[in-house]
Amino acid sequence: MVQAARELLAVRSPLDAELMVSDMIGAWWGRRVRGGDVEQVLGEGLVDYAAKAGTPASLTLLICLAYLGTARQGAKAEGAALAMMESGVARPGWADRVGAVKPTGCYVSRDAYGDQDTVICTFGYRWSEGPRDEQAGGEAPVTFEREQDRHALVMVVDHNMSGMARDAWVSSQVDTLLDKARVEAAGNPMLLFEEIEPQQARALLESAMKATREPKTPPPVSDSYSAYHAFARARLKALPPGRKRPAPLHIEAPYSRERRAMLAAEFLASDAAEHLSDPSAASRCADHIIDYGCEQDFNRPLRVSPTKCETFLLDWLPRKVMLSVAEQEAMPHVLSAWIRFAARRTGLPDTGLKDTLDAVWEATGKFPEAYRDPTSFGLDRPLLERLLPDGDLSALARRAFAFPFLQGVHGGIDLDALNPADEADRRTLLEIDHVGAIDEEHLAWHEEIAARLWDGDPPQLWEAAQRLLDLGHDRHDVLHVLIEIAERIGGDPDELASALDDIADIPDEI
């Protein structure tokens, strides 16, 4: 990378240099390395190496890293660059303008469904020029600004994927880009294009980039996202901060249980729901639809779209919710009725309503295959209800792993009568899980791990357990590794998550 930085000496503008370095350090974005954070191991390692090189190319790289890097990388790079400049290492004439930008406008192109926001933030470089100020001894120029190298940062935010940033790029054809977006919106009732405040753009995009960074598995982003990630992160800091809600999201206040119940009641009493033949199943299905909109879609249960409804029916429900047979049969019909009800409330154009209903119709044929009733796994419903009192189907495997003995009689104890959600019953179940003498402190740690597995806190705990089980390790050995890590790390949740992420096999000493 330091050798490749020689190309920076040939560029003629800070924008070109920033994009080159952003692309360079994007090579490790989203990747994992053993033994530490990738930004520390590779990013800070690059800063240290460039500082030792002491060449004009490495100085230019450090100047760009001071602006584009993480906070730690930026601080180290700035210190190293200042030291090199003081020692007389040459730098390009444009180096002083790296990151010296001001925002010139922010816009959003939004589809009527609310699925996606394309945010456009335009910038220009600040350029100071003028005659020397004679009253100041001629040492400083009289400063006034003009914009140069105007450019636009474009980012796509996907609200069906937890509001994550899915794509990013930069364009120097700012006027052409904006004109095209205006023309497309003017000719399409399903599109809206408007200017927004810079504070709103910053709040929306910072939240989106955070959502993209959070998944432990590689997020589903475009091929170009990593190349522009550092550039986008730095540019957002040039926008004024603010506490205003990101307007493009139309985020509503959180829905209380009472408000959710009132919305469900309004739906069930509406003309859209009058054809539903099983009121009880329809009520429970409506609750799931509303919960999904509140918890997975920024408190927007009334937002409907083809993608959102397909995701709910074919992905989220099969993974997350335990439905009764009646609910399984009713759900596609209730969802279609909900779409009609919500479209009237939100003013969704007829084209959008039709396309959304068509999408649900197509998904209805796939739903029975996508939703596997957990009783088909050989588990009876009373057992499932004990393991899933909250109906969270995604918790089934980890809870069954934590409490494998829940049926039959052991030592005169009726296991079918014990509730794994109850602390006292949990201890009894864990005592039965151990043969022979029981160390109280060790049993307490088993209780701690079992409680964490039950709650899925942190998610990395079950992920690590699954990796070890896939390697053929015994369940008790896996539990003891998890206990050893939790005991060694203590109460720091970030360190615990990181240590669990690094577990690839059981050490020989365990």
Side-chain angles (χ1 to χ4, degrees), residues 12-67:
R12 299 194 175 189
S13 75
L15 177 61
D16 291 339
E18 291 166 16
L19 291 174
M20 285 178 61
V21 175
S22 180
D23 187 14
M24 183 185 296
I25 63 180
W28 64 70
W29 178 82
R31 299 182 182 272
R32 293 170 54 185
V33 293
R34 295 292 302 274
D37 177 72
V38 67
E39 294 291 355
Q40 180 179 359
V41 174
L42 293 180
E44 295 178 32
L46 175 60
V47 172
D48 294 338
Y49 191 83
K52 293 176 182 177
T55 63
S58 65
L59 171 58
T60 307
L61 176 59
L62 288 170
I63 291 171
C64 292
L65 287 171
Y67 171 65

Side-chain angles (χ1 to χ4, degrees), residues 75-148:
K76 293 185 70 173
E78 183 178 8
L82 288 173
M84 289 175 66
M85 287 187 286
E86 289 176 0
S87 68
V89 179
R91 65 187 188 277
W94 49 257
D96 291 337
R97 292 193 291 136
V98 167
V101 296
K102 59 185 297 185
T104 59
C106 294
Y107 310 83
V108 62
S109 178
R110 180 169 54 238
D111 65 75
Y113 294 123
D115 282 340
Q116 180 173 285
D117 290 339
T118 300
V119 183
I120 304 171
C121 299
T122 62
F123 301 89
Y125 281 86
R126 296 193 299 266
W127 178 261
S128 299
E129 59 180 13
R132 296 287 178 181
D133 187 348
E134 299 300 333
Q135 294 182 355
E139 295 183 357
V142 175
T143 300
F144 60 90
E145 295 183 343
R146 62 184 175 89
E147 295 168 10
Q148 280 198 338

Side-chain angles (χ1 to χ4, degrees), residues 402-424:
F403 300 100
F405 301 110
L406 292 171
Q407 292 178 301
V409 177
H410 181 88
I413 299 174
D414 182 6
L415 300 183
D416 294 86
L418 297 180
N419 179 11
D422 179 80
E423 289 188 12

Side-chain angles (χ1 to χ4, degrees), residues 177-501:
L177 178 68
L178 295 177
D179 289 343
K180 182 178 179 181
R182 292 189 183 98
V183 170
E184 287 181 347
N188 187 344
M190 295 297 293
L191 284 178
L192 174 67
F193 181 76
E194 63 183 351
E195 187 169 4
I196 59 174
E197 295 182 3
Q199 295 94 330
Q200 294 174 313
R202 176 169 178 169
L204 170 60
L205 294 179
E206 285 185 336
S207 174
M209 294 188 75
K210 181 175 183 290
T212 304
R213 187 176 64 248
E214 285 181 344
K216 294 302 177 183
T217 56
V221 297
S222 69
D223 293 339
S224 65
Y225 183 82
S226 60
Y228 291 102
H229 175 267
F231 182 90
R233 178 181 60 196
R235 278 296 187 269
L236 294 187
K237 295 176 183 177
L239 299 176
R243 296 185 178 180
K244 295 185 178 181
R245 287 178 181 167
L249 282 175
H250 291 304
I251 295 179
E252 297 187 30
Y255 274 66
S256 64
R257 276 290 150 199
E258 293 76 13
R259 189 181 177 193
R260 297 186 193 191
M262 288 179 60
L263 183 58
E266 290 177 24
F267 162 66
L268 294 170
S270 70
D271 292 342
E274 65 180 358
H275 68 284
L276 300 175
S277 59
D278 187 340
S280 178
S283 176
R284 293 192 296 272
C285 289
D287 289 340
H288 293 314
I289 294 169
I290 294 170
D291 288 345
Y292 178 75
C294 292
E295 296 162 13
Q296 304 295 319
D297 192 28
F298 306 97
N299 293 305
R300 298 187 295 177
L302 291 168
R303 185 181 82 82
V304 294
S305 77
T307 302
K308 178 182 177 180
C309 292
E310 286 178 1
T311 302
F312 169 75
L313 197 61
L314 302 182
D315 179 65
W316 189 78
L317 274 177
R319 289 187 298 107
K320 293 291 292 183
V321 180
M322 184 173 67
L323 299 174
S324 68
V325 174
E327 291 165 2
Q328 293 173 46
E329 294 176 353
M331 180 58 77
H333 307 288
V334 177
L335 181 57
S336 295
W338 178 266
I339 291 167
R340 294 187 179 92
F341 169 75
R344 291 172 187 164
R345 293 280 295 265
T346 61
L348 182 69
D350 289 342
T351 299
L353 171 59
K354 178 182 180 301
D355 290 348
T356 305
L357 288 172
D358 286 347
V360 172
W361 177 257
E362 292 291 331
T364 297
K366 304 174 185 176
F367 180 63
E369 181 180 349
Y371 189 88
R372 295 283 306 281
D373 190 324
T375 57
S376 68
F377 304 154
L379 302 174
D380 59 38
R381 186 156 289 273
L383 175 59
L384 286 169
E385 290 173 352
R386 289 162 64 205
L387 283 169
L388 306 176
D390 51 3
D392 184 1
L393 190 55
S394 66
L396 177 60
R398 68 172 188 268
R399 291 177 182 175
F401 172 78
F403 300 100
F405 301 110
L406 292 171
Q407 292 178 301
V409 177
H410 181 88
I413 299 174
D414 182 6
L415 300 183
D416 294 86
L418 297 180
N419 179 11
D422 179 80
E423 289 188 12
D425 286 355
R426 280 183 181 178
R427 188 172 184 87
T428 301
L429 289 167
L430 292 173
E431 288 173 348
I432 292 171
D433 192 19
H434 284 73
V435 180
I438 301 175
D439 178 84
E440 286 298 318
E441 182 179 357
H442 183 67
L443 186 60
W445 274 110
H446 272 279
E447 286 185 279
E448 168 77 12
I449 295 300
R452 286 182 174 275
L453 287 168
W454 183 273
D455 296 331
D457 178 30
Q460 292 84 358
L461 192 72
W462 177 231
E463 292 169 5
Q466 290 178 93
R467 290 198 300 274
L468 297 177
L469 290 169
D470 288 343
L471 292 172
H473 293 295
D474 177 79
R475 172 179 169 272
H476 269 288
D477 289 340
V478 172
L479 286 170
H480 290 161
V481 170
L482 301 181
I483 289 172
E484 188 276 332
I485 293 173
E487 189 174 8
R488 172 167 51 85
I489 297 298
D492 190 313
D494 292 334
E495 286 193 20
L496 177 59
S498 178
L500 291 167
D501 269 340

